[in-house]
Amino acid sequence: MSKLHWSVDYAYASPLSADKTQENFQGQFRQILADALSSSPVDFNARTKSHRYSLLPNFWAGFKRGEVQNLNIGQVSIERKRDDGDVWRYAIEHENTISGEELFLNFNCDHKPARPLTGSWQIRTQNSADGSYSSLSLTGACDEEIDGERAVRVTTASGLSIGAGSIKQDEILTCNWALFDILPSLRENGGLDRLAILDDLEILKNDCRIKPLEDWVFESGDEQHTLTGFSVYGRGFPPTYWWLTESGEVAVMSTMLTTHVLNERSD
Amino acid sequence: MGDNLNILFINTDQQTWNVVSAYGNPHVHTPHIDRLQKNGISFMNSYCADPVCGPARTSWVSGLYTSENGVPFNGGRMHEDIPDLGQVLTRNGYHAIHCGKWHVEDRKMRDSFHNLYTGKRDIGACGGEYYDRVSTHAVIDFLDRYDQTTPFYLQVGLVNPHDICEYLHNHEHKTIPGPIEQGLLAVEDLPPLPANFEYDEREIILQKMLHRDKVTSIHAPILNGIGDWTEDQWRFLTWNHHRFVEAADQQIGLILNALENSRFKNNTLIIFTADHGESSGCHRSFQKFSLYEESIRVPFIIADLNDQLNIPKNVLDTEHFVSGVDLVPTVLDYAGIEVPEGVQGLSLKPLIEMGCRNAMCEVNVGEKDESKAAQVIAWRDFAYVESNFWGRAIITERFKYIMEYRPKEEEDFVPPGPDTNAVGLEQLFDLVEDPWEIKNLAGESDYGSVIEECRKKLFSFERRLHRRPLREGRLRDYTQRLSGQLHERWAAYDG
């Protein structure tokens, strides 16, 4: 069996031996990814796309305190539809069983390679963890340009307005979940050196860069899949690693603590 | 003060004092902590009570040093009879709320505070990526909806930049190429190596055992995993730490912006600090647990977002030594509540009010009015820090004195002190001439009297502490094991 790329290789010692943990992770990771890659790819030009990712721990010392048989820590689904006006309408559902919060995001992006955010957006949360915090609803938008800058703002349902930073008028602002469509469009053209990412539609990460990485050949049985690598990082945004299939879909994305692995796709 | 004054205590995890752009660090971008600096007073000589999460945080809520509160290591057990800040505030009419990382050892947060959010399974040491954004949501929701007349004390424990520990752990079992080889960064994108990357290896035995030894080090697997790191990889460690600090700063930004537009803007005092620092290659080391500045010196800011609380603006206090044990008396003083007997810390409120007067003099008169500014407040003339049960340091206006106690022949689990333990090795640094602590002066004859004086100060201070034996439990086993290892090292040293 070929080695996993270091960026997604969960390898930390747990209450079981490191070997056992790796075996668990590698088994689950490989199975999910192999199954997904053997399904039909989504047409790059489809007007409706849906991708669902399993969340596995990339690295976390306190992971599940010994419960390592099932490494699933949540999932995220990314659904988007391109309307007649060339606007992509995104709906994201992100469940994280470690934090206990479920996140529902709705936003729109122009049909351009860098998927700039357009119009207003909605954030809704649901917390299942113990504590008096149970849910939050926010709407967001960019203010009109003043002195060459646009302020980004989110507002609670009762009207509490919260500044979320500002971007230069000529700066592209997108959402981290739109990166799943931005990166495929960069496959032929390399990286991107200046991008503002509104993380989960509320935390502005300025000065982000997308850098191409090496290829990684993922082996599954007799099949080989060459995955194209990218890294995305920026201010307040430690490097994340992205791996794209030959058909231009994000198959795997890892952050410091989480590996997102494709498990379902449709158009 | 006290009537309807709300207090918001925001803390980060593993942030050294100078990893703040307002203090001149050009490699990190922290506009929101900078905003606190501009809207308040920064205590530039602020030290944690003990440079590791559980001990530092237990000192925050108890106002006691770790030799007194029972938590000299992670996994300790806070003495049951010590009141904590939440209990005292609640008893005296405050709505005491906790959100985020707690990590006060063997004290149930829910018994002392109202629980706003602490994760699906209570947050342990790490997981900033998972928890911090939810903590911020919880705080926004609270500021939006709190409608009681009872004033609140809200403490928000952000986990980042602690995720840098996971970056380090990630190197335990696999080889990760450096940033240049990955194609991520150019060499010039990386912050430089710290000036004290090369260091004086004449360290106390405790430090060598827990930081340098590839078997007995606290994080031996990391030490082994990064043994062949290039300089660029060390610099990339710092680069990553900066990104995690920025991530925490961005959460602070949302919280401050929510507070600013909430109805609590004009009556909320803000306290910001970190539990301990991050070595980031200083003294060729990582994480904390040491008594060097990068591990023990932390930012400490008191601010507001209005002009109504008598908080000086844009003031850097470089004169007074502040400790993590000062949080309890400071909060209680502002809340108008009597400080429990035995608390070691001091309230910063008099210093802040003096700073405000001095700042006002400067603003109003154009030059300092000495007659008004020359008010002297009795204050400690050194900071005192404990580490790893046997380690101690004091920091004076000029010198840093580090020492260790030798373990007792028979471990009785009473934290060591001047009348029960022999002194081990010592380190001395001239912080004026050598702020990076590169040259240990302890062996130099010219500094014999300085060492003597520092030792005297330390002993005198420690004789006032109420050291208590560790409670029964696993920590005793751990302490016993470390004691045994230290005995072996001392036997080899004594030769």
Side-chain angles (χ1 to χ4, degrees):
Chain A
M1 202 180 333
S2 63
K3 284 179 68 173
L4 294 180
H5 190 269
W6 60 262
S7 66
V8 300
D9 188 2
Y10 177 78
Y12 183 54
S14 77
L16 295 181
S17 70
D19 285 348
K20 181 69 178 168
T21 307
Q22 279 199 54
E23 188 183 307
N24 280 345
F25 176 81
Q26 293 219 6
Q28 290 182 41
F29 176 87
R30 285 176 189 278
Q31 191 63 53
I32 297 168
L33 184 56
D35 289 349
L37 293 177
S38 66
S39 67
S40 301
V42 167
D43 179 1
F44 185 75
N45 295 312
R47 296 184 77 94
T48 302
K49 301 182 188 183
S50 173
H51 290 85
R52 188 178 292 269
Y53 294 83
S54 290
L55 271 51
L56 304 179
N58 188 28
F59 191 81
W60 187 35
F63 176 69
K64 285 200 166 183
R65 296 183 183 160
E67 299 167 34
V68 292
Q69 294 308 314
N70 181 359
L71 290 166
N72 182 46
I73 58 169
Q75 59 183 349
V76 61
S77 88
I78 304 168
E79 300 194 353
R80 57 278 200 210
K81 186 174 183 180
R82 184 176 155 197
D83 69 12
D84 295 338
D86 267 357
V87 170
W88 285 96
R89 302 192 181 281
Y90 284 80
I92 311 295
E93 289 186 26
H94 183 196
E95 180 195 16
N96 184 315
T97 61
I98 302 289
S99 72
E101 191 182 64
E102 209 168 345
L103 197 58
F104 305 90
L105 307 174
N106 291 91
F107 60 97
N108 301 324
C109 292
D110 286 335
H111 176 57
K112 292 179 180 172
R115 291 286 193 276
L117 269 172
T118 182
S120 61
W121 56 85
Q122 288 78 42
I123 304 166
R124 189 164 60 82
T125 73
Q126 196 95 44
N127 176 42
S128 62
D130 182 31
S132 60
Y133 161 61
S134 61
S135 65
L136 181 68
S137 291
L138 298 164
T139 55
C142 285
D143 288 352
E144 293 296 312
E145 178 259 322
I146 299 175
D147 297 333
E149 294 207 339
R150 287 183 296 156
V152 182
R153 190 170 300 284
V154 291
T155 306
T156 66
S158 69
L160 178 63
S161 173
I162 304 162
S166 62
I167 55 165
K168 301 259 186 296
Q169 178 63 19
D170 60 349
E171 203 169 5
I172 296 169
L173 176 68
T174 191
C175 171
N176 54 312
W177 299 108
L179 287 167
F180 285 77
D181 292 323
I182 296 170
L183 288 171
S185 70
L186 294 174
R187 271 189 315 154
E188 307 300 326
N189 308 322
L192 196 61
D193 261 349
R194 189 157 172 255
L195 187 68
I197 295 174
L198 195 57
D199 198 19
D200 285 343
L201 298 175
E202 60 182 352
I203 300 276
L204 186 59
K205 311 279 185 180
N206 294 103
D207 294 336
C208 290
R209 298 182 195 182
I210 302 175
K211 291 280 186 185
L213 296 175
E214 61 196 339
D215 287 348
W216 162 35
V217 178
F218 174 74
E219 293 179 358
S220 169
D222 296 335
E223 291 183 17
Q224 285 197 336
H225 301 273
T226 301
L227 303 175
T228 305
F230 286 94
S231 180
V232 184
Y233 61 89
R235 191 172 291 167
F237 195 150
T240 54
Y241 295 90
W242 301 68
W243 298 99
L244 274 61
T245 64
E246 288 103 332
S247 61
E249 292 163 274
V250 175
V252 183
M253 188 276 274
S254 68
T255 63
M256 189 72 250
L257 302 181
T258 313
T259 296
H260 303 61
V261 53
L262 181 65
N263 72 6
E264 264 183 59
R265 53 184 172 176
S266 63
D267 53 14
Chain B
M1 205 66 73
D3 290 345
N4 292 318
L5 177 74
N6 304 303
I7 300 170
L8 173 61
F9 172 39
I10 303 173
N11 52 82
T12 55
D13 192 320
Q14 204 146 320
Q15 181 177 6
T16 306
W17 72 278
N18 58 1
V19 190
V20 172
S21 44
Y23 301 151
N25 188 326
H27 306 290
V28 69
H29 191 75
T30 55
H32 306 294
I33 299 172
D34 295 359
R35 181 183 182 193
L36 289 174
Q37 179 272 318
K38 288 186 187 73
N39 281 280
I41 178 167
S42 296
F43 290 95
M44 304 302 284
N45 290 322
S46 171
Y47 292 85
C48 64
D50 195 317
V52 63
C53 300
R57 289 161 188 272
T58 309
S59 290
W60 275 347
V61 301
S62 67
L64 298 173
Y65 293 100
T66 54
S67 59
E68 303 174 296
N69 64 31
V71 186
F73 300 106
N74 280 343
R77 302 183 69 195
M78 183 170 163
H79 294 296
E80 288 170 296
D81 57 340
I82 296 172
D84 65 57
L85 183 55
Q87 292 169 342
V88 178
L89 285 163
T90 303
R91 271 203 300 269
N92 288 277
Y94 259 76
H95 187 43
I97 312 143
H98 175 82
C99 180
K101 180 166 176 173
W102 170 246
H103 208 169
V104 174
E105 302 285 9
D106 209 40
R107 178 63 53 105
K108 289 179 182 162
M109 179 271 290
R110 291 166 184 78
D111 290 347
S112 304
F113 288 85
H114 172 83
N115 176 25
L116 189 58
Y117 169 76
T118 48
K120 189 73 173 175
R121 288 177 296 276
D122 285 359
I123 299 170
C126 53
E129 178 182 314
Y130 298 142
Y131 300 117
D132 285 351
R133 65 186 62 211
V134 190
S135 292
T136 299
H137 289 159
V139 172
I140 290 171
D141 185 52
F142 173 82
L143 292 172
D144 193 29
R145 294 196 305 120
Y146 186 65
D147 59 1
Q148 307 298 305
T149 53
T150 310
F152 65 79
Y153 165 82
L154 169 57
Q155 57 180 30
V156 186
L158 296 173
V159 180
N160 265 326
H162 190 288
D163 282 358
I164 192 63
C165 292
E166 309 323 305
Y167 174 81
L168 284 159
H169 284 303
N170 218 354
H171 290 77
E172 291 180 4
H173 298 287
K174 56 191 177 191
T175 302
I176 299 176
I180 314 301
E181 292 73 29
Q182 286 183 41
L184 282 189
L185 300 171
V187 174
E188 56 269 24
D189 294 329
L190 295 167
L193 277 178
N196 55 2
F197 184 66
E198 301 300 337
Y199 65 100
D200 191 328
E201 295 184 14
R202 294 172 295 171
E203 297 180 304
I204 58 173
I205 282 179
L206 187 66
Q207 166 78 2
K208 283 182 181 288
M209 185 175 99
L210 297 179
H211 279 264
R212 310 296 182 192
D213 188 298
K214 291 191 172 180
V215 175
T216 58
S217 169
I218 291 172
H219 285 299
I222 297 177
L223 193 61
N224 288 297
I226 66 172
D228 58 354
W229 262 10
T230 63
E231 290 190 352
D232 287 347
Q233 284 173 300
W234 279 103
R235 293 167 66 185
F236 194 43
L237 169 68
T238 306
W239 184 93
N240 273 282
H241 182 247
H242 290 167
R243 303 294 81 78
F244 287 120
V245 169
E246 290 168 349
D249 182 76
Q250 289 163 349
Q251 301 294 341
I252 292 169
L254 279 186
I255 293 170
L256 294 182
N257 290 341
L259 176 65
E260 182 174 36
N261 287 335
S262 77
R263 65 191 186 90
F264 306 110
K265 174 187 175 184
N266 289 331
N267 61 343
T268 300
L269 181 82
I270 305 165
I271 303 174
F272 168 74
T273 188
D275 57 354
H276 52 73
E278 156 60 42
S279 296
S280 268
C282 293
H283 297 95
R284 203 180 276 255
S285 195
F286 55 84
Q287 289 205 12
K288 51 271 185 180
F289 311 106
S290 86
L291 288 162
Y292 292 123
E293 294 287 277
E294 59 270 14
S295 170
I296 62 175
R297 193 172 167 194
V298 291
F300 199 115
I301 304 173
I302 298 204
D304 61 22
L305 299 182
N306 58 72
D307 291 322
Q308 297 178 26
L309 299 183
N310 211 20
I311 305 295
K313 307 295 184 192
N314 202 18
V315 169
L316 305 183
D317 181 311
T318 56
E319 184 183 345
H320 299 96
F321 290 105
V322 167
S323 165
V325 296
D326 296 336
L327 181 73
V328 166
T330 301
V331 168
L332 295 181
D333 197 0
Y334 271 103
I337 297 169
E338 193 175 335
V339 177
E341 198 177 336
V343 163
Q344 292 289 349
L346 301 170
S347 169
L348 302 179
K349 190 178 168 203
L351 297 182
I352 293 162
E353 292 180 342
M354 180 183 73
C356 193
R357 281 194 296 275
N358 289 350
M360 289 297 286
C361 290
E362 290 180 33
V363 170
N364 294 340
V365 183
E367 57 185 25
K368 192 176 279 187
D369 179 342
E370 293 296 339
S371 66
K372 289 180 182 169
Q375 297 176 42
V376 176
I377 291 172
W379 198 255
R380 58 172 75 94
D381 63 350
F382 61 90
Y384 167 81
V385 184
E386 301 177 344
S387 180
N388 295 316
F389 198 65
W390 295 275
R392 303 285 185 271
I394 61 168
I395 303 95
T396 69
E397 196 176 343
R398 176 153 190 177
F399 292 101
K400 158 82 76 69
Y401 169 67
I402 296 173
M403 62 83 72
E404 65 188 332
Y405 288 110
R406 288 187 178 219
K408 294 167 191 157
E409 284 304 316
E410 293 274 330
E411 188 52 65
D412 60 3
F413 307 107
V414 177
D419 301 320
T420 54
N421 293 66
V423 173
L425 300 185
E426 297 164 307
Q427 293 173 264
L428 182 73
F429 298 97
D430 182 338
L431 294 178
V432 174
E433 297 295 324
D434 177 24
W436 289 92
E437 302 168 286
I438 294 171
K439 187 174 184 194
N440 179 8
L441 303 170
E444 299 196 6
S445 56
D446 288 353
Y447 291 89
S449 60
V450 176
I451 289 268
E452 192 65 35
E453 194 182 328
C454 287
R455 199 186 293 141
K456 203 168 145 189
K457 270 183 195 287
L458 179 88
F459 285 0
S460 169
F461 182 82
E462 289 212 299
R463 288 192 172 102
R464 295 196 293 108
L465 299 180
H466 306 290
R467 287 188 301 283
R468 300 168 64 179
L470 304 178
R471 291 168 66 193
E472 296 287 342
R474 281 182 304 168
L475 195 70
R476 283 196 171 193
D477 300 337
Y478 179 68
T479 307
Q480 184 70 62
R481 183 161 60 81
L482 290 184
S483 175
Q485 290 172 341
L486 279 170
H487 275 299
E488 286 174 20
R489 284 172 181 267
W490 278 107
Y493 180 85
D494 292 336

